[in-house]
Amino acid sequence: MGNAVGILEVYGLSTAFMAADAGCKAADVRLESFDRNRPARARELSVPLLVTVKFRGSVAAVEAAVKAGAKKAESLTGVVKQYIIPNPTEQTEQILRMGAFDKR
């Protein structure tokens, strides 16, 4: 397999690093580039930046990584959303490769 993707959206870049580290230690996954999003109500939030961590690997490994990453993020600033896509289509793969960190 090895095609699943786990998406974990958290508050803040530091939390994203910590969640990514926890996920990678918990399962045999690889990371894809982080993505960022500044929500519309950013000024109301204590951490005004959302960061998406993407884990890749087998379905079981991605599930374990997302679970561990979410647990770590919850202990810090929190989790916004989490998703697992077991077998993304080619069109979804193209979108997953896009990153907002390199856009200004």
Side-chain angles (χ1 to χ4, degrees):
M1 225 184 251
N3 197 29
V5 62
I7 301 167
L8 180 62
E9 189 172 39
V10 301
Y11 292 104
L13 186 58
S14 297
T15 297
F17 281 118
M18 299 299 290
D21 182 60
C24 288
K25 288 176 178 171
D28 183 20
V29 292
R30 67 185 184 282
L31 285 176
E32 292 197 345
S33 60
F34 289 179
D35 202 359
R36 68 174 164 81
N37 181 28
R38 186 178 174 99
R41 62 187 211 337
R43 291 184 182 176
E44 300 169 19
L45 301 173
S46 59
V47 181
L49 178 68
L50 304 181
V51 180
T52 303
V53 178
K54 293 177 263 184
F55 298 103
R56 297 303 297 253
S58 70
V59 174
V62 166
E63 288 173 344
V66 169
K67 183 178 178 179
K71 182 177 179 182
K72 184 62 175 181
E74 284 294 349
S75 75
L76 300 167
T77 59
V79 172
V80 179
K81 293 285 182 182
Q82 54 188 336
Y83 304 96
I84 295 173
I85 304 172
N87 189 21
T89 66
E90 182 54 40
Q91 292 84 1
T92 302
E93 290 285 358
Q94 290 174 359
I95 298 299
L96 288 168
R97 286 190 286 271
M98 299 170 87
F101 268 114
D102 28 325
K103 295 182 177 106
R104 298 187 202 282

